Each structure stands twice: as C-alpha cells, then as structure tokens.
Amino acid sequence: MVKDSREQLSQRYSLSRRDIVKAVGAAGIAGLAGCSQSSNGSNSGGSTLTMFMDEVIPNEINFNPWNGGTDDMHRYQIFDYIAGYHQQEGEWYPVALNDWEIPSTIKKGETVQCEIFKNFTWHDGTDYKAKDFAGNLRLWKHFEDPLWDFISDVKITGDKTVEIPLSQKVDPLLLEETLFGGKRLMYRDDIFKENLDKLESANNDSQRKQAMNELTQYRYSGRDLLDQGLGCGPFKYSDSNSTRLILEPYEDYENPYIKSDDIGPSQISMLPIDTPEERWQSMMNEEADIAQNSSITNAQVKQLDKNGNDWMDWIVELRHTGRAVVWNTRRKPLDNRKVRWALAHAIDRQTMLKGESYGSFMLETADIPCGMSNFLTDKWIGDRKSEYMKFSSEGENIQDRVNREKATNLLKAEGFSKEGQWWQTPDNNRFEIELKSPPYFAGRSQALQQVLEDFGVKVKIYNEESTTYEGQTVPNHEYDALHWWQGQVPPIPYNGYNTNMALEAHLTAWPKNWDDDSDNNEYKIDVPPIGKPEGKLKEVDVKQVLTNLSKANSESEKKSSIQKLAWVYNWNQDKTYDVVRNQAVPFTTDDWKWPSPSGDRGLEKDQYGVDQNAYMRIGRQQSWPIRFGFPKPK
C-alpha cells in the first residue's frame, strides 16, 4: 500500500525559492537573505542542525556516490530515496516516485509501472527523468543487487515513466522491498552513461573490472557535485574543512510531502566522530542535535533521569540486526567446521553483550545463531528451534552459559591438545587468532579476547582505523577473525540471507570451491538434514533456496526455504551470530521540535515502546524526518 502524498491530502502549495527568484529577480531575493527564522519553520533563518558522520577528514572525502570506501552519512542527505516502508502500518512512503503499480499477478512477464514525482529534480534544477531512474536500476545490476533476481529489464516509456518486466514469480512485498527499500538514487545519465555503457558492453572480467574501477575510483570534490548538479536529496554540499562538513538545503527540493521551504534547518553541520561513546559524549556536551549509532547505557539513562533531564529524548527503533564474529575459512585451522563449532561453544554471549557500548534495553543475546534475530527465529523456525544448534545456555555465571566440555571434546577429536594455559594445534603451534578491530568494535574485541583466552585460545587484537579496516583489511581478507554487522531488517528475510550468505560470502569464503579471484562462484555446500549435525551430507544450492523463497506464496512454502537457509548458517558457523541489537537514537529537544515518539524512554523493553511514527521509523533517523519537514526550529 502506498501512503497518500501531500498532493493527495492537500492542494496547498507554497512558492519555491526558484519561483520567487523568477518573480522578483535577484535584487528582490537579496532582501530575503537577512530574514529571521519564520514562525512556520521555513529555512530562511540561521538554524544549524548538527549531526555525526564517520571518522574521516571532511575536506578529503571522495564524494563519488559509487565509491564505497568513503563515509556514507552525507549521502543520505545529498541523494534521495525511492521510497521507505513502515512495518507497523504496512505502507510505503514514496519520495522520488509519485506512484507505482504492482500487477495483480506477480509472475514472469508481468510488469511494474513506475511514475517519477513530477517536481523531482537534480541539484542544478534539471528534471530527474526516466533515463536517470532506469540507469540507476541497470547500474545496480553490476553491483550484484538482488533486485535483478526478479526483474529482466527496465524500459523507458515516457519522460517520467518506466516499465519494469519481471523475470519470475515473486512475493509482492519482497519485490517492493527489493526495488524500493532503502535505495538511493545516485545515477545521473549525462554524467555516468559512459560508465554504464562500458560495464554493459564488457566482454570479459578484465574489461568489467577496468570499467568498475573507472566508475568507483574517480574522485569528486564537493565543488564538483555542485558544478555538475550531482545530487537530488534535500541537502547539497556547501563547504568543508578538516573538522566539519556543511550542507545546505537544495532550494528547489520537493517530494510528495514537502518543498524546500518546509525544511527546518538552514544548514546541516556534520562532525567526524566515529565511536558510539564519543557521539554520546558530544550529545551530552550539547555539541550535536541527533546521533545515529550513539552509545546509551543503562547508567547514563538513570543519571539523566536522576538529574531531571528534559532537553534530550530518543526512540528505540525495532530492528532485526546484530553482530557476528566472522571466521576466515581460508586459514587453518578455521577451515575446519568442527573447530568453528568449538569456538562457538566457548563464546559466552552474555560477555559479548557487555562488550557492546549500548544499554541492555537495546540488546539481547542471539537465541540461535542462524542469521536471524530472535523475533524472526520465533516466527519462521518456531517449534523446530530445538533441532538447531544453540551453542550457549543461560545462567548466573560463565560456566553455566558456555559448553566447554563439548568445545574441548571437539578440539581433541580434531587433533588439538592442551597442556597448561593454551591449546596447541595439531602441528604443535599455539592456537592463536588474529582479530582485526576498528574503533567502533573495541568493546566487542576485548570481550571476545576475554572469553576465548579464558578457554585457552590466544587472541591477538590488531586495532585499526575504520578506513583501513573497511578499505583494506576486509576486502583483502587480512584477518583470522573480525566483527561484522548481521541479521535481517525486512519481515521476509530474503535480502538479509542474500546479503549475509551470498553477497558477503567473500568474508568467510564458505561455499564449496570458493575462489577469491573469480566472479563466477557458486553458492553450494554439503549439509546434513536439519537437526542432524552429524548426518549424511547432501548438496544445497543456497541461491536456489533463495530463489524458492522469493517465489513462495504460502507461509508454509516460505518457512520451508527459510528453515533451510537458517540451518545452513547455523550448521556451518562461518559466522557466529551472538548479539541482537535494536537501535536507540538520541535527539535534543530544547531547540528542535521532532515527531514525538510513541514509547516511553524507560529501561525495560516492554515499557520503552517501539516508535510508530513513520517520520522517525523509516530508514535512518538522521535523514528520514527531514523528508517530512522535521525537525522544526522552536
């Protein structure tokens, strides 16, 4: 279901700034520049909204939207979304699109009709057209976007309309989630057409890699964005130095809900602070107004309430995400599944929970490490949960929560020995794990070191800056183990499993015959029946199971495929999923009016409440409220 647009709700529109310029001329508009903040929250005043970005030097950012190695927070403001889904309401909120039509029968040969919002433009005022939208979808194909599991083409049918033929039968919500959910529009045809043409005409891996390098490695400055009009979101580049990035409203911005004059902040100031702890401290020092991915502990909440704090509030966003320890199966002895089982049995999830820099009201241990949160595990595995490998128990102390006897027996059966403090590998070397750790995973790294060394496995932590971790260590596989984001966001966990098991297979190299240098790996593995970890192995094609899930109509069909995927993940343990995390986002309320959260900020989950307000629920809180005219200066 599509949420009614502002145009459908009301025919009242105000003049955009470009309209005013055309009407009164440059001299007339100059008089507007000095106007004070208006009472209706228009952006003519001097209200600065301060938020965070990752720890990068702002004036050294590569603003190329297709370069994944640079900070991403600014892109949520500069490049707009197609639409966002509100899970509680079961409705889509369109932004770049005015409307779309899903066929009544979702099967091969049917088409999705999309109509681009009539006043949606690039940052130089150029109309955003169907060729831009189509090019964006076509370019995603070369980034292995799961959308192309379901569509066969994108056809331009008008200046602002496209037709998308389906390549197979697919669940309607899954199709919409894959097509629209969280997608940003970053392709401008007159800028990137040559790059797209080269990718589509490439005849071999070498040509494809060369074309991809040309696209992703080209360097754009903020000034380049302005000069080329590259951006379609509510804010555009203004200035930057070594300590902050400044964005300003795009004067002709309009989506189905607001126009530029409805945007509250006259500018956004983004501070390069990386760790959750530092972000929280900056919030407490009143140096920022909202903090995505900030650390809020139980003690901090109690202290705020004790002091009668009334200038900060937050919401807890219901998510199905969390953390996993990722094992590099290219390296011995981690290529041995029984060794990974032993480590999973030795990891105390309660200790890992304490290693997170968040309050307990945001966290819980993963019930069954199968790639889904506890909520989704209950829904899709249900009464079969006892058949899956749990690896941990509950208890007052660590001895009750881990199964060291089983971990010990597994290692001994694989030729390991232990004399004194440390385990020895079958070739008589100390069992030692090199763990790479960026600042935002520091607490997890220390927790993992504690639990494994207590068991007798030496852990050497190599602390790295986030740019090194994400730009060198991860893509070059320079680790025995690392921490990674995990879990599922949508209610049908197709995209989550596709990401965790297929698109990110390079992290662990889990499939049979995996080749890091090949673009044509298959996603097959020999697996026993569910509930029989030592049973007879049978080959499972994970991509085929994903395809079966995407086509499933009934709940029973979906359950069958999801349970197979969960079992492969659970049995293989190339990723040991330990912590489920919701997200609390603090924001200040002394100068800004935000959409009110529906929940209380109490410490207990059942008291806290999950926010039902779509403006704060869809996507990132640092970006979605702005698309509905929030926050407004008081």
Side-chain angles (χ1 to χ4, degrees):
M1 184 183 298
V2 180
K3 189 71 175 177
D4 287 343
S5 69
R6 180 188 67 167
E7 186 173 26
Q8 294 166 310
L9 295 172
S10 171
Q11 296 300 316
R12 181 181 60 82
Y13 281 94
S14 58
L15 289 173
S16 71
R17 292 193 171 196
R18 192 174 293 271
D19 294 329
I20 297 173
V21 171
K22 291 176 181 177
V24 304
I29 199 69
L32 298 176
C35 290
S36 61
Q37 178 67 48
S38 65
S39 60
N40 65 3
S42 69
N43 60 26
S44 57
S47 50
T48 298
L49 181 71
T50 304
M51 59 178 64
F52 299 114
M53 60 197 301
D54 290 342
E55 190 177 20
V56 295
I57 300 174
N59 57 4
E60 294 183 3
I61 291 174
N62 182 358
F63 285 91
N64 181 347
W66 303 101
N67 181 292
T70 57
D71 169 74
D72 206 38
M73 287 294 184
H74 61 276
R75 294 182 184 138
Y76 292 99
Q77 306 297 346
I78 295 174
F79 298 96
D80 227 333
Y81 295 84
I82 300 177
Y85 184 67
H86 190 295
Q87 290 194 36
Q88 279 73 27
E89 292 182 1
E91 292 181 329
W92 286 94
Y93 284 74
V95 176
L97 295 182
N98 185 58
D99 200 3
W100 59 85
E101 183 178 346
I102 301 291
S104 57
T105 54
I106 310 292
K107 62 182 181 181
K108 182 177 180 179
E110 296 289 346
T111 61
V112 179
Q113 308 292 329
C114 296
E115 179 185 340
I116 297 166
F117 182 62
K118 62 181 181 179
N119 294 327
F120 194 62
T121 61
W122 292 104
H123 280 175
D124 60 357
T126 302
D127 268 358
Y128 183 95
K129 296 185 177 181
K131 61 183 179 181
D132 302 310
F133 186 83
N136 214 115
L137 269 59
R138 287 165 57 196
L139 191 50
W140 286 340
K141 184 176 184 179
H142 300 279
F143 287 87
E144 299 183 2
D145 193 286
L147 168 65
W148 285 88
D149 292 345
F150 310 131
I151 71 173
S152 59
D153 198 2
V154 184
K155 298 180 180 179
I156 298 171
T157 57
D159 204 37
K160 290 268 189 177
T161 57
V162 299
E163 180 180 272
I164 305 173
L166 302 181
S167 60
Q168 66 170 55
K169 173 184 172 183
V170 61
D171 179 89
L173 177 57
L174 179 56
L175 173 63
E176 289 182 309
E177 166 63 31
T178 308
L179 179 56
F180 305 129
K183 296 291 181 61
R184 296 195 302 275
L185 299 171
M186 305 184 296
Y187 174 91
R188 180 164 170 161
D189 191 69
D190 57 2
I191 295 177
F192 296 115
K193 185 178 187 303
E194 183 178 345
N195 300 102
L196 179 57
D197 288 345
K198 286 184 178 180
L199 282 166
E200 292 186 330
S201 63
N203 294 318
N204 52 53
D205 288 348
S206 177
Q207 290 180 2
R208 278 189 289 272
K209 288 179 181 178
Q210 176 63 31
M212 185 61 75
N213 285 337
E214 290 179 10
L215 170 67
T216 60
Q217 300 307 310
Y218 189 86
R219 188 165 190 84
Y220 282 87
S221 67
R223 185 56 52 185
D224 291 332
L225 294 187
L226 294 179
D227 291 344
Q228 298 185 45
L230 184 53
C232 56
F235 282 80
K236 63 183 182 180
Y237 176 85
S238 177
D239 199 2
S240 60
N241 57 29
S242 61
T243 60
R244 67 185 59 223
L245 168 66
I246 303 297
L247 306 176
E248 63 182 11
Y250 165 46
E251 62 274 11
D252 265 2
Y253 180 75
E254 186 173 349
N255 69 34
Y257 306 97
I258 66 167
K259 302 181 80 169
S260 178
D261 288 342
D262 299 315
I263 296 175
S266 61
Q267 68 175 19
I268 290 177
S269 177
M270 303 190 77
L271 308 177
I273 298 179
D274 200 17
T275 67
E277 297 87 350
E278 290 176 319
R279 290 182 177 184
W280 174 258
Q281 192 57 53
S282 291
M283 290 287 293
M284 291 300 298
N285 294 339
E286 301 186 63
E287 297 168 351
D289 299 300
I290 185 169
Q292 184 80 17
N293 196 28
S294 178
S295 168
I296 308 178
T297 68
N298 291 51
Q300 289 165 339
V301 173
K302 290 177 179 178
Q303 187 64 35
L304 285 173
D305 290 341
K306 180 180 179 181
N307 294 339
N309 172 283
D310 61 358
W311 55 269
M312 186 186 296
D313 207 339
W314 52 84
I315 64 168
V316 171
E317 181 186 5
L318 177 63
R319 298 179 68 84
H320 311 309
T321 58
R323 305 280 195 257
V325 180
V326 170
W327 311 108
N328 188 348
T329 67
R330 303 167 187 82
R331 297 187 177 184
K332 292 184 177 299
L334 299 171
D335 61 338
N336 185 328
R337 186 175 297 104
K338 299 291 184 68
V339 172
R340 301 197 298 271
W341 288 359
L343 295 173
H345 280 299
I347 292 175
D348 173 34
R349 284 167 174 74
Q350 288 291 337
T351 299
M352 296 301 295
L353 203 70
K354 294 175 182 177
E356 297 283 346
S357 52
Y358 303 98
S360 62
F361 54 87
M362 297 168 59
L363 304 167
E364 55 189 330
T365 60
D367 184 14
I368 297 174
C370 64
M372 290 188 288
S373 72
N374 299 343
F375 170 80
L376 290 177
T377 301
D378 289 341
K379 177 179 180 180
W380 293 113
I381 297 180
D383 57 5
R384 298 196 68 180
K385 286 172 63 175
S386 61
E387 300 179 53
Y388 289 71
M389 303 172 72
K390 194 168 184 179
F391 294 107
S392 63
S393 304
E394 302 298 327
E396 293 294 326
N397 53 62
I398 190 171
Q399 287 76 21
D400 297 327
R401 297 194 299 263
V402 298
N403 195 330
R404 288 184 177 166
E405 180 180 0
K406 186 168 287 189
T408 295
N409 291 339
L410 282 165
L411 287 184
K412 286 184 176 179
E414 299 306 309
F416 287 73
S417 60
K418 187 178 184 183
E419 293 182 6
Q421 182 179 2
W422 305 110
W423 281 98
Q424 304 293 313
T425 63
D427 54 3
N428 294 318
N429 291 313
R430 185 170 67 178
F431 189 4
E432 185 171 287
I433 292 173
E434 293 184 357
L435 175 68
K436 300 298 179 72
S437 177
Y440 43 80
F441 285 145
R444 279 184 56 82
S445 295
Q446 293 169 5
L448 184 63
Q449 183 182 53
Q450 175 186 333
V451 295
L452 288 186
E453 290 195 347
D454 195 37
F455 174 61
V457 177
K458 181 67 175 177
V459 177
K460 295 184 69 174
I461 299 174
Y462 293 84
N463 294 310
E464 298 180 337
E465 293 301 321
S466 57
T467 51
T468 302
Y469 182 76
E470 295 175 24
Q472 177 178 318
T473 297
V474 173
N476 294 331
H477 321 303
E478 299 169 348
Y479 52 86
D480 291 331
L482 51 76
H483 306 291
W484 204 250
W485 300 271
Q486 202 62 32
Q488 317 277 348
V489 175
I492 303 173
Y494 172 90
N495 287 336
Y497 273 128
N498 187 61
T499 297
N500 299 337
M501 300 180 73
L503 298 183
E504 293 181 348
H506 61 91
L507 294 176
T508 65
W510 66 264
K512 294 168 61 175
N513 306 315
W514 178 267
D515 181 357
D516 281 325
D517 296 323
S518 175
D519 293 329
N520 299 307
N521 283 296
E522 294 183 315
Y523 301 89
K524 297 179 179 179
I525 187 172
D526 295 328
V527 179
I530 294 175
K532 300 179 180 179
E534 302 288 356
K536 184 178 180 180
L537 301 181
K538 182 179 179 181
E539 184 178 83
V540 172
D541 185 337
V542 166
K543 289 294 285 187
Q544 183 59 53
V545 180
L546 284 164
T547 298
N548 296 343
L549 171 59
S550 69
K551 295 180 178 181
N553 283 334
S554 68
E555 289 291 296
S556 60
E557 288 178 319
K558 292 173 186 175
K559 275 189 175 183
S560 176
S561 294
I562 292 170
Q563 288 173 3
K564 288 179 183 177
L565 294 168
W567 175 247
V568 170
Y569 186 112
N570 176 245
W571 179 81
N572 196 39
Q573 282 303 295
D574 57 302
K575 294 180 179 178
T576 296
Y577 184 31
D578 55 271
V579 172
V580 180
R581 182 175 77 89
N582 292 317
Q583 181 160 257
V585 181
F587 50 90
T588 61
T589 58
D590 48 356
D591 296 325
W592 298 98
K593 177 178 175 57
W594 298 84
S596 299
S598 64
D600 186 352
R601 74 175 194 194
L603 292 179
E604 298 299 324
K605 290 184 179 69
D606 56 351
Q607 296 175 345
Y608 208 104
V610 176
D611 185 62
Q612 303 292 317
N613 192 315
Y615 305 158
M616 297 288 277
R617 279 283 296 117
I618 305 175
R620 292 179 176 266
Q621 286 73 20
Q622 291 195 174
S623 55
W624 265 98
I626 286 171
R627 287 159 170 84
F628 294 88
F630 290 94
K632 299 183 183 296
K634 287 186 175 179

